[in-house]
């Protein structure tokens, strides 16, 4: 891959991000605060999904397996 094309593509993605969030109108210190808060919130969402979603999926599968009448694995 061409390094310049990758650099241009990343710059374009960042530009799109600024347009969507309207952060291009903020002052530099406001932009840094906004980006810090955004990254922090996204990191917390990713961590929460990583920790709690598998537990909820397992519980949902157990619940639906009991409803539809399949035997639990320990009974076999």
């Amino acid at each position: 891959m061409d390094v310049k094309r990758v650099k241009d593509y990343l710059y374009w993605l960042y530009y799109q991000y600024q347009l969507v969030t309207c952060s291009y109108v903020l002052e530099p210190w406001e932009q840094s605060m906004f980006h810090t808060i955004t990254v922090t919130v996204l990191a917390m969402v990713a961590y929460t999904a990583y920790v709690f979603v598998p537990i909820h999926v397992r519980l949902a599968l157990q619940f639906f397996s009991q409803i539809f009448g399949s035997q639990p694995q320990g009974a076999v």
Side-chain angles (χ1 to χ4, degrees):
M1 289 191 97
D2 189 15
V3 175
K4 184 177 180 338
R5 285 180 33 199
V6 171
K7 182 181 166 186
D8 289 342
Y9 180 69
L10 290 175
Y11 178 75
W12 179 79
L13 284 177
Y14 179 69
Y15 181 69
Q16 292 297 315
Y17 164 74
Q18 283 187 325
L19 287 176
V20 168
T21 60
C22 297
S23 63
Y24 63 91
V25 297
L26 301 174
E27 293 183 16
W29 70 271
E30 291 172 327
Q31 279 185 355
S32 65
M33 290 296 291
F34 178 76
H35 297 319
T36 302
I37 292 169
T38 303
V39 168
T40 303
V41 168
L42 289 176
M44 287 190 295
V45 167
Y47 174 76
T48 303
Y50 176 75
V51 171
F52 293 111
V53 167
I55 295 168
H56 286 80
V57 168
R58 182 178 52 84
L59 290 174
L61 288 175
Q62 285 177 355
F63 175 74
F64 287 118
S65 69
Q66 289 176 358
I67 286 178
F68 294 119
S70 68
Q71 295 179 349
Q73 291 180 352
V76 176

